[in-house]
Amino acid sequence: MTSQVSSPAEQADGTDGAVVGEQRTVAGESSKDVRRLDRVIIRFAGDSGDGMQLTGDRFTSETATFGNDLSTLPNFPAEIRAPAGTLPGVSSFQLHFADHDILTPGDAPNVLVAMNPAALKANIGDVPRGAEIIVNTDEFTKRAMAKVGYAASPLEDGSLDGFSVHPVPLTTLTVQALKEFELSRKEAERSKNMFALGLLSWMYHRPTEGTEKFLKTKFAKKPEIMKANLAAFHAGWNFGETTEDFAVSYEIAPATTAFPTGTYRNISGNLALSYGLIAASQQADLPLYLGSYPITPASDILHELSRHKNFGVRTFQAEDEIAGIGAALGAAFGGSLAVTTTSGPGVALKSETIGLAVSLELPLLVVDIQRGGPSTGLPTKTEQADLLQAMYGRNGEAPVPIVAPMTPADCFDAALESARIAVTYRTPVLLLSDGYLANGSEPWRIPEVDELPDLRTQFATGPNHTLDDGSEVFWPYKRDPQTLARPWAIPGTPGLEHRIGGIEKQDGTGNISYDPANHDFMVRTRQAKIDGITVPDLEVDDLTGDATTLVLGWGSTYGPITAAVRRLRGAGEAIAQAHLRHLNPFPRNLGEVLRRYDKVVIPEMNLGQLATLIRAKYLVDAHSYNQVNGMPFKAEQLATALKEAIDG
């Protein structure tokens, strides 16, 4: 006999406006009931040393293997090592997974796993009433609670009465499970995240083989630690199966209709971008060179590319940001697909060399994984406030193309597109990702090689200009009539010697020139080259064709905007949506698209930088909706703002 209980998915509105599917009890493998859901949002939270990112990553990997659609939001402490048990030291990992297409990590968790009082206090404000909270009761000591301002235990004072609370002595249970191993209590306690992972894996019927294989590989040289972590993981699973506190487990079926046919894997934005750069170098038949200085949240690209020497990738960890881009620009001069990776503060330091690359007209990819600023700002939080810096942050007239990916998986395609522009038009390109995309993950369909663009380019091999006296010479700034790109000559090629440097060059010859008319011509030519870059027209999603309001976005706001638009359409509202990948130059049809609508709303994680550009260029009264709190938009808040815009 089974009972109908309120499920987590019924307790919180769907982030993407999805309708919760039929809830029914099905026969499980044990005596416990199994509830079938269409989606769930889980947040793991604890100290930065509690392994919450690893726990979330393993749960995500198993969820991807199972075939659910998913979206994640890792949230790191800004301090390198905040004091244990304090609010600044809380680390969390949120995962939204479903049996249908989803777009965001979710507005609010249906399940919160709180490893200590700080984790509970830092996250309880996001948890809707009726949601489940799994609490590690061992950490709720008077001292730990006082450290975060709890005068009395929230587990006993009634403040959590509106939630479904599961008090679990995670630390004690983990230590008991590992008593047969020769580990100190402190060493045993470190495995409590694996106990929690095992419990949640049982609760949501996640596969276990991948995690078991991961632990065996990770701790292959420490067999005792490996066996202990496996034991803790299995103990967590068995605890869920046997304890009376968890009477129900949940199933979320694979998202069989959400994905086109193909081979998929879970991928983060930084990993997808790394793979995109490698693919671009292969398609361009150019060696890949990365000159970089470690900086959050871009460092993972340096780490990943350093693993792929078999693809001809060369990585150089420089002593500072300026050295990193200087080496990359030198590699571009030498005939490599050159890349430098950084975040906003690093772009500021690299600006002079980006201007040099504009003057030299060499292909160079500058990858900016944006974070909260100014200055050091919020190094582990997300923001998209570097757009104006990318557009104008150099001395003189130094135009640079700008490309922005929309989702973690889209970072792969954005890298290929940036490389196409760089090598075709001989220009540095700024790729604007951000921390939300970099660290978040989603399923990615692995493309076939024949689906990738052909990026091969021809190097100069001989003279390209005939003088009046009939002699043939090489002019380094003689331009392709279609692209206005100059020749790319490999140093050391006989007969192709030419000057290089930051001083203004004479048109064609490349000789130093201080002539006013020549400078005016070169400035306008470099601008015309960028303006003439071929980019796809902007696509507009306007289902009914009678919408009067357009929501325009760029970068990582794609998921929350699309989820909000789905909600509004589900409520009967007519609204159009468009999303920009190319921010310089804009798509040629953008002006015409903007003029179709009475209202244009631009949500941004800044104070209105794209809106400023749109107003200036197209004289459109675009309305900004802005957020700069270091976190991505929530779909519900955007839906509310867009509804007000429609009605206003």
Side-chain angles (χ1 to χ4, degrees):
M1 183 146 182
T2 59
S3 60
Q4 294 289 324
V5 297
S6 177
S7 72
E10 292 172 314
Q11 296 158 359
D13 189 20
T15 298
D16 297 336
V19 178
V20 177
E22 177 187 358
Q23 308 295 313
R24 63 187 181 87
T25 305
V26 299
E29 295 178 356
S30 69
S31 59
K32 295 192 175 185
D33 296 337
V34 180
R35 293 279 285 176
R36 185 163 292 162
L37 310 179
D38 69 349
R39 59 180 170 77
V40 73
I41 303 164
I42 299 174
R43 183 181 297 177
F44 299 93
D47 249 347
S48 57
D50 284 339
M52 294 297 93
Q53 302 304 322
L54 175 62
T55 304
D57 183 68
R58 290 312 317 158
F59 195 94
T60 299
S61 296
E62 299 294 5
T63 297
T65 300
F66 190 72
N68 297 118
D69 195 10
L70 62 89
S71 180
T72 69
L73 177 62
N75 190 9
F76 305 94
E79 297 186 30
I80 293 175
R81 191 65 177 96
T86 63
L87 293 175
V90 174
S91 174
S92 68
F93 188 106
Q94 184 161 304
L95 166 67
H96 182 192
F97 60 103
D99 65 2
H100 57 274
D101 174 37
I102 59 172
L103 296 155
T104 77
D107 285 1
N110 310 126
V111 182
L112 171 66
V113 180
M115 303 296 281
N116 60 19
L120 179 65
K121 187 162 191 176
N123 291 280
I124 191 64
D126 293 336
V127 183
R129 293 286 173 171
E132 296 193 68
I133 302 177
I134 300 172
V135 182
N136 180 13
T137 55
D138 287 329
E139 298 299 321
F140 279 71
T141 63
K142 287 185 178 180
R143 181 181 179 185
M145 290 186 290
K147 193 178 292 188
V148 295
Y150 279 129
S153 172
L155 307 181
E156 301 172 355
D157 64 5
S159 60
L160 299 180
D161 286 351
F163 305 94
S164 177
V165 179
H166 302 276
V168 180
L170 284 172
T171 307
T172 298
L173 291 172
T174 302
V175 172
Q176 289 177 350
L178 304 184
K179 60 184 179 181
E180 66 181 89
F181 298 95
E182 296 181 1
L183 300 174
S184 67
R185 180 178 177 86
K186 186 175 182 180
E187 289 173 328
E189 288 178 357
R190 289 175 182 166
S191 296
K192 63 180 179 289
N193 65 322
M194 287 296 105
F195 189 100
L197 177 60
L199 172 58
L200 269 293
S201 297
W202 169 84
M203 192 172 176
Y204 288 95
H205 293 242
R206 298 296 92 184
T208 61
E209 294 81 3
T211 295
E212 292 167 349
K213 182 179 179 181
F214 168 82
L215 292 173
K216 291 175 182 177
T217 302
K218 181 177 178 64
F219 298 110
K221 296 182 179 179
K222 299 179 179 179
E224 195 73 3
I225 299 296
M226 179 261 290
K227 293 176 183 177
N229 276 281
L230 283 170
F233 178 64
H234 293 144
W237 177 283
N238 294 332
F239 177 77
E241 179 71 18
T242 57
T243 183
E244 295 181 1
D245 192 44
F246 292 90
V248 178
S249 63
Y250 304 97
E251 283 185 349
I252 295 90
T256 54
T257 61
F259 308 120
T261 302
T263 302
Y264 287 80
R265 60 156 293 166
N266 182 51
I267 200 165
S268 68
N270 273 351
L271 184 57
L273 205 154
S274 300
Y275 288 174
L277 293 173
I278 295 170
S281 76
Q282 295 295 302
Q283 294 302 106
D285 197 21
L286 297 172
L288 180 63
Y289 183 94
L290 174 68
S292 183
Y293 179 75
I295 183 172
T296 302
S299 299
D300 285 343
I301 302 172
L302 171 61
H303 301 159
E304 182 61 33
L305 290 181
S306 68
R307 300 186 177 105
H308 296 285
K309 297 179 179 66
N310 56 312
F311 285 111
V313 179
R314 289 170 290 175
T315 53
F316 168 54
Q317 180 174 320
E319 66 268 29
D320 56 39
E321 295 282 2
I322 298 172
I325 190 173
L329 185 56
F333 178 59
S336 292
L337 179 61
V339 185
T340 187
T341 53
T342 189
S343 190
V347 174
L349 291 167
K350 296 177 189 291
S351 62
E352 183 180 6
T353 308
I354 297 173
L356 176 59
V358 172
S359 177
L360 298 180
E361 300 189 48
L362 286 171
L364 173 67
L365 302 186
V366 181
V367 177
D368 177 5
I369 312 297
Q370 300 167 95
R371 71 190 205 187
S375 187
T376 306
L378 305 175
T380 62
K381 310 301 180 182
T382 195
E383 205 165 276
Q384 51 176 180
D386 292 349
L387 177 55
L388 294 183
Q389 178 179 221
M391 193 81 174
Y392 301 120
R394 293 163 295 283
N395 64 294
E397 296 286 347
V400 171
I402 303 170
V403 176
M406 301 184 295
T407 67
D410 187 49
C411 289
F412 178 86
D413 296 314
L416 283 165
E417 174 65 358
S418 298
R420 176 191 73 85
I421 293 173
V423 298
T424 302
Y425 295 90
R426 312 285 197 271
T427 178
V429 177
L430 266 156
L431 192 160
L432 295 184
S433 179
D434 61 42
Y436 170 41
L437 296 183
N439 297 315
S441 64
E442 65 176 352
W444 171 58
R445 187 182 72 84
I446 302 172
E448 299 295 334
V449 174
D450 58 11
E451 297 174 14
L452 302 178
D454 185 351
L455 302 179
R456 287 173 295 182
T457 187
Q458 296 295 319
F459 290 111
T461 57
N464 62 356
H465 184 75
T466 303
L467 298 176
D468 292 340
D469 63 5
S471 57
E472 294 185 337
V473 296
F474 174 67
W475 275 16
Y477 282 83
K478 186 168 184 175
R479 302 182 181 278
D480 181 288
Q482 299 299 319
T483 63
L484 298 182
R486 77 174 187 89
W488 194 0
I490 300 297
T493 306
L496 303 190
E497 298 84 358
H498 59 280
R499 287 187 175 89
I500 192 168
I503 297 177
E504 186 62 282
K505 297 139 189 75
Q506 185 182 54
D507 176 44
T509 69
N511 295 331
I512 291 174
S513 173
Y514 297 103
D515 178 66
N518 177 77
H519 177 59
D520 182 273
F521 178 81
M522 294 294 281
V523 167
R524 294 180 186 275
T525 300
R526 288 189 289 261
Q527 183 66 57
K529 181 175 70 170
I530 304 307
D531 292 342
I533 291 173
T534 300
V535 302
D537 278 349
L538 181 65
E539 295 183 1
V540 182
D541 177 8
D542 188 349
L543 284 182
T544 61
D546 59 358
T548 59
T549 299
L550 171 72
V551 54
L552 180 68
W554 71 277
S556 66
T557 57
Y558 172 78
I561 288 175
T562 306
V565 167
R566 285 183 181 179
R567 288 190 178 198
L568 291 172
R569 288 175 176 170
E573 299 289 344
I575 186 169
Q577 176 189 358
H579 211 78
L580 289 166
R581 163 176 292 209
H582 296 89
L583 297 155
N584 191 33
F586 286 129
R588 283 167 175 73
N589 69 331
L590 177 56
E592 183 271 326
V593 168
L594 295 172
R595 287 189 289 272
R596 283 188 227 159
Y597 298 93
D598 297 337
K599 298 175 185 176
V600 177
V601 182
I602 304 179
E604 297 181 79
M605 292 188 294
N606 57 48
L607 294 182
Q609 297 189 13
L610 175 62
T612 297
L613 296 175
I614 293 294
R615 292 188 191 111
K617 185 173 180 64
Y618 298 103
L619 302 181
V620 170
D621 186 21
H623 300 273
S624 285
Y625 183 73
N626 309 115
Q627 172 178 297
V628 281
N629 62 6
M631 298 295 289
F633 282 112
K634 293 183 177 180
E636 182 179 3
Q637 102 190 64
L638 271 182
T640 301
L642 295 175
K643 180 65 167 64
E644 292 174 355
I646 293 171
D647 296 340

